[in-house]
Amino acid sequence: MSLKAVTLALALLAITGTHADVSAQQVADVVWNYFTQLTGDAKETMEQIQQSEISKQLNTLFQDNLQNVNSYTEDLQKKLIPFTTELHGKLSQDSEKLKEQIRQELEDLRLKLSPYADEVHQQISKNIQELQLKLSPYAEELRGQVNQNAELLRQQLAPYAQELRDKLQENVDGLQAALAPYAKQLQQQIDKNVADMKEKLAPLADELQVKIDQNMEELRKQLAPYAQDVQDKLNHQLEGLSFQMKKGAEHLRAKLSESAEELRLKLSPYAKELKEKLRTDAEGLRQSLGPYVEGLSGQMEQKIEEFRQTVGPYGEAFNKQLVQKVEEMRQKLGPYTGEVEDHLSFLEKDVRDMVASFFSTIKQIEN
């Protein structure tokens, strides 16, 4: 087995050793990212690998839990090494072969569809229009959800600044003790609202994937009468298109979650700053808190507004990407297509399917 295959196997060992609930998707991400790294310059690739999070996880695993690593090594020899060897060989050898296969597949499809070029063009154009109509409500829903959650967060955080201002004006004794709970409550409110926001936004990606399945099935039926002898090849192309579109939906889900988490990280320092200021001496407390409290509400509102303006348009951008993918399919099935640029998406789909099948087999054996 090559050194590259061993390194990939060790990378998989690292994530399985440090994540008890590692998923097929996580492993597929490692495999695919590793492959795309290897397509670049060898020296640069090795430097990337050495500096990567995988390498750090592996070092931690070896240093902190050597006995555990040994047990995983034995399991790796039985399960992961044969699997990664096969997978590495497929990635290394099949890329150019697959590129030629896709080129030939498209050539056969274009030849079969050429007598019906106008009808095919019209059917795909119709599908694009239908897709736009189906996706439009989701873009509006996403923007509405973002606006609603941003406003809710603003409303729930605003009272803290006012309550702090009132406490300062009351000139009460024991100001530190009176204000101490606010720092913790402010952080808790930020964490809770962002968690709720993530939970409300996540289902949109699932709904979009259902719509993608429906649209691909409609497109298959619309084109089927013109591809009677090459239906399998058409289905394969549509499977590749569906994979790219669903990958976009997963990317949207990740972006929504990451953006919400970034908002939490931008708001949290205000709670930490309040906590730090409450540690100063009583005499200087009122003087240091005054400017902080006066600017608190406006600064938090600014961060929330930036989030709203950034994330709100995500739905429209996603819709344009999906429509563009279908438009590219229309062009590929047209009279002429140049170099095939998307064969790697088919290869990635194969890799992810293989990883999912591998995990399914392992679970069956364990059960």
Side-chain angles (χ1 to χ4, degrees), residues 251-317:
H251 181 62
L252 175 63
R253 185 204 304 273
K255 281 182 65 178
L256 291 172
S257 179
E258 290 167 5
S259 297
E261 182 61 20
E262 287 176 5
L263 176 61
R264 188 186 71 83
L265 293 176
K266 289 179 180 179
L267 293 175
S268 292
Y270 296 113
K272 294 178 181 178
E273 184 179 358
L274 174 59
K275 187 176 181 181
E276 289 297 321
K277 289 185 178 297
L278 291 175
R279 292 175 179 174
T280 60
D281 61 276
E283 293 183 3
L285 180 59
R286 194 179 305 277
Q287 183 177 358
S288 65
L289 272 180
Y292 165 81
V293 171
E294 288 303 318
L296 178 60
S297 181
Q299 291 172 4
M300 289 195 298
E301 286 185 5
Q302 180 181 351
K303 299 299 182 185
I304 295 171
E305 178 61 18
E306 290 172 357
F307 167 83
R308 189 187 68 80
Q309 292 186 6
T310 300
V311 179
Y314 279 1
E316 287 89 343

Side-chain angles (χ1 to χ4, degrees), residues 14 42 55 69 81 95 101 151 178 212 229 231 234 241-242 289 295:
S55 179
V69 169
I81 286 183
S95 180
Q101 175 189 333
E151 177 60 20
I212 290 171
D229 298 332
Q231 189 65 54
L234 177 61
L241 175 59
S242 177
L289 272 180

Side-chain angles (χ1 to χ4, degrees), residues 152-166 182 186 189 296-297 300-301:
L152 180 62
L153 178 59
R154 187 194 68 78
Q155 291 177 359
Q156 293 186 347
L157 294 184
Y160 287 92
Q162 185 59 49
E163 290 174 15
L164 287 170
R165 190 179 296 110
D166 293 343
Y182 286 94
L186 179 58
Q189 194 67 53
L296 178 60
S297 181
M300 289 195 298
E301 286 185 5

Side-chain angles (χ1 to χ4, degrees), residues 95-270:
S95 180
E96 288 303 316
K97 185 186 300 183
L98 181 61
K99 185 175 182 178
E100 174 58 25
Q101 175 189 333
I102 298 302
R103 188 198 65 77
Q104 185 61 52
E105 186 174 85
L106 284 171
E107 185 176 322
D108 293 344
L109 276 170
R110 287 196 300 273
L111 181 63
K112 179 65 178 179
L113 297 175
S114 58
Y116 318 103
D118 290 341
E119 291 91 336
V120 169
H121 187 277
Q122 291 173 5
Q123 290 292 349
I124 299 179
S125 297
K126 177 182 177 183
N127 185 268
I128 290 175
Q129 293 174 354
E130 293 171 348
L131 180 62
Q132 289 173 319
L133 290 174
K134 290 177 182 177
L135 294 178
S136 180
Y138 288 96
E140 295 174 3
E141 182 181 354
L142 175 57
R143 184 181 288 275
Q145 283 275 13
V146 170
N147 291 341
Q148 180 181 348
N149 282 277
E151 177 60 20
L152 180 62
L153 178 59
R154 187 194 68 78
Q155 291 177 359
Q156 293 186 347
L157 294 184
Y160 287 92
Q162 185 59 49
E163 290 174 15
L164 287 170
R165 190 179 296 110
D166 293 343
K167 289 292 183 183
L168 287 175
Q169 293 175 351
E170 288 175 7
N171 197 25
V172 298
D173 294 332
L175 186 60
Q176 287 171 310
L179 296 180
Y182 286 94
K184 183 177 181 180
Q185 290 172 7
L186 179 58
Q187 184 63 63
Q188 289 175 340
Q189 194 67 53
I190 292 170
D191 292 344
K192 181 181 182 302
N193 275 269
V194 171
D196 290 345
M197 187 183 302
K198 289 181 180 180
E199 186 176 348
K200 291 176 181 177
L201 293 177
L204 286 173
D206 295 328
E207 295 174 14
L208 285 168
Q209 293 207 13
V210 172
K211 289 299 179 184
I212 290 171
D213 284 336
Q214 293 174 351
N215 190 74
M216 287 299 96
E217 179 59 20
E218 290 171 2
L219 183 57
R220 186 190 67 78
K221 291 179 179 179
Q222 289 166 341
L223 297 180
Y226 312 106
Q228 293 180 2
D229 298 332
V230 287
Q231 189 65 54
D232 289 344
K233 295 178 180 180
L234 177 61
N235 289 343
H236 187 232
Q237 285 295 315
L238 294 180
E239 287 172 4
L241 175 59
S242 177
F243 171 76
Q244 293 181 54
M245 295 171 78
K246 287 185 176 181
K247 186 178 176 182
E250 284 300 323
H251 181 62
L252 175 63
R253 185 204 304 273
K255 281 182 65 178
L256 291 172
S257 179
E258 290 167 5
S259 297
E261 182 61 20
E262 287 176 5
L263 176 61
R264 188 186 71 83
L265 293 176
K266 289 179 180 179
L267 293 175
S268 292
Y270 296 113

